[in-house]
């Protein structure tokens, strides 16, 4: 199943012929009162709502994707956790390019650890990226994004895949400079998630996915998740040893080689096998 959010917080089921509006299903979510939960309610109840979504999709006519404004498929992640330098070739290019490392000590992921991006940075493909500090280099980083489906704490890698709700494409946009990663990677719109959430059953092995990103038609990143240093399961194990993971939490698994700058007016096209493609405009 592929589900998306679009336009004015509508819920859609994605099929080959377009998107069907299934927003009526949202009325079946439990009512929330203050203090509000620390998780995404739709992701928390996605498995039980799946039959309702499939039934609701039988009536509406499909609408072409290009006629809709795609939002992030996850509305309320409690955390966006990101994995730096999780591809060997990206580590090599980061060490070699002063424009990337900016004099910072670049270490492989086992030493660097993971970091958090602000949830306020989250947007969907249709919202685009709005650059800030344009006097500095702003880079694209295309990544496989993992959406957690249920509460996870101290999960073993052998059991980790049972905690995954689904996958999406992530763009970990980055301002280069000397500051800590979380600051440079957390401006508004610097975490793009989309174009939709593909449920875990449609991605049997997240370690066997081709990944590409073009800018204005020029190929920049062309890699494969089999080259991840730490796998999806290992990232969940490691992350859950530090944080309690909640439904809707997002793990960005790291970007491969080929990162590069973007400027206002550029158009990025990110593609991951079994998930799809998303076009993101830069302003």
């Amino acid at each position: 199943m592929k589900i998306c959010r679009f336009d004015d917080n509508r819920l859609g089921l994605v099929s080959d012929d377009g998107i069907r509006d299934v927003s009526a299903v949202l009325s079946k979510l439990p009512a929330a009162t203050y203090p509000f939960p620390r998780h995404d309610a739709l992701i928390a109840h996605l498995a039980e709502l799946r039959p309702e979504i499939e039934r609701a999709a039988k009536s509406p006519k499909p609408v072409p994707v290009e006629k809709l404004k795609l939002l992030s498929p996850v509305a309320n992640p409690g955390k966006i956790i990101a994995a730096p330098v999780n591809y060997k070739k990206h580590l090599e290019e980061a060490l070699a390019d002063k424009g990337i490392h900016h004099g910072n000590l670049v270490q492989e992921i086992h030493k660097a650890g993971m970091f958090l991006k602000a949830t306020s940075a989250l947007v969907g493909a249709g919202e685009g990226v709005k650059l800030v500090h344009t006097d500095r280099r702003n880079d694209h980083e295309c990544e496989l994004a993992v959406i957690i489906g249920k509460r996870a704490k101290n999960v073993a890698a052998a059991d980790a895949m049972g905690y995954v709700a689904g996958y999406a494409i992530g763009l970990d946009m980055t301002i280069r400079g000397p500051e800590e990663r979380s600051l440079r990677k957390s401006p508004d719109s610097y975490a793009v998630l989309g174009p939709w959430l593909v449920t875990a059953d449609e991605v049997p092995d997240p370690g066997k996915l081709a990944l590409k990103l073009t800018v204005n038609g020029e190929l920049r990143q062309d890699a494969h998740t089999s080259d991840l240093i730490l796998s999806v399961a290992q990232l969940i194990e490691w992350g859950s040893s530090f944080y309690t993971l909640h439904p809707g939490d997002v793990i960005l698994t790291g970007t491969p080689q080929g990162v590069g700058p973007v400027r206002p007016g550029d158009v990025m096209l990110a593609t991951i096998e079994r998930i799809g493609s998303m076009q993101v405009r830069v302003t």
Side-chain angles (χ1 to χ4, degrees), residues 90 209 217:
H90 175 50
L209 303 174

PDB file of all heavy atoms in Angstrom, residues 90 209 217:
ATOM      1  N   HIS A  90      30.676   8.131   0.339  1.00  0.00           N
ATOM      2  CA  HIS A  90      30.355   9.488   0.770  1.00  0.00           C
ATOM      3  C   HIS A  90      31.352   9.958   1.828  1.00  0.00           C
ATOM      4  O   HIS A  90      31.736  11.134   1.856  1.00  0.00           O
ATOM      5  CB  HIS A  90      28.930   9.559   1.312  1.00  0.00           C
ATOM      6  CG  HIS A  90      28.567  10.901   1.875  1.00  0.00           C
ATOM      7  ND1 HIS A  90      28.779  12.073   1.188  1.00  0.00           N
ATOM      8  CD2 HIS A  90      28.040  11.273   3.078  1.00  0.00           C
ATOM      9  CE1 HIS A  90      28.377  13.102   1.922  1.00  0.00           C
ATOM     10  NE2 HIS A  90      27.934  12.630   3.071  1.00  0.00           N
ATOM     11  N   LEU A 209      17.933  -1.636  -2.755  1.00  0.00           N
ATOM     12  CA  LEU A 209      17.194  -0.604  -3.477  1.00  0.00           C
ATOM     13  C   LEU A 209      18.153   0.336  -4.202  1.00  0.00           C
ATOM     14  O   LEU A 209      19.099   0.855  -3.612  1.00  0.00           O
ATOM     15  CB  LEU A 209      16.327   0.214  -2.513  1.00  0.00           C
ATOM     16  CG  LEU A 209      15.305  -0.557  -1.670  1.00  0.00           C
ATOM     17  CD1 LEU A 209      14.639   0.380  -0.673  1.00  0.00           C
ATOM     18  CD2 LEU A 209      14.273  -1.226  -2.560  1.00  0.00           C
ATOM     19  N   GLY A 217      17.990  17.689 -14.425  1.00  0.00           N
ATOM     20  CA  GLY A 217      18.266  16.626 -15.385  1.00  0.00           C
ATOM     21  C   GLY A 217      19.665  16.061 -15.331  1.00  0.00           C
ATOM     22  O   GLY A 217      19.953  15.041 -15.969  1.00  0.00           O
TER      23      GLY A 217
END
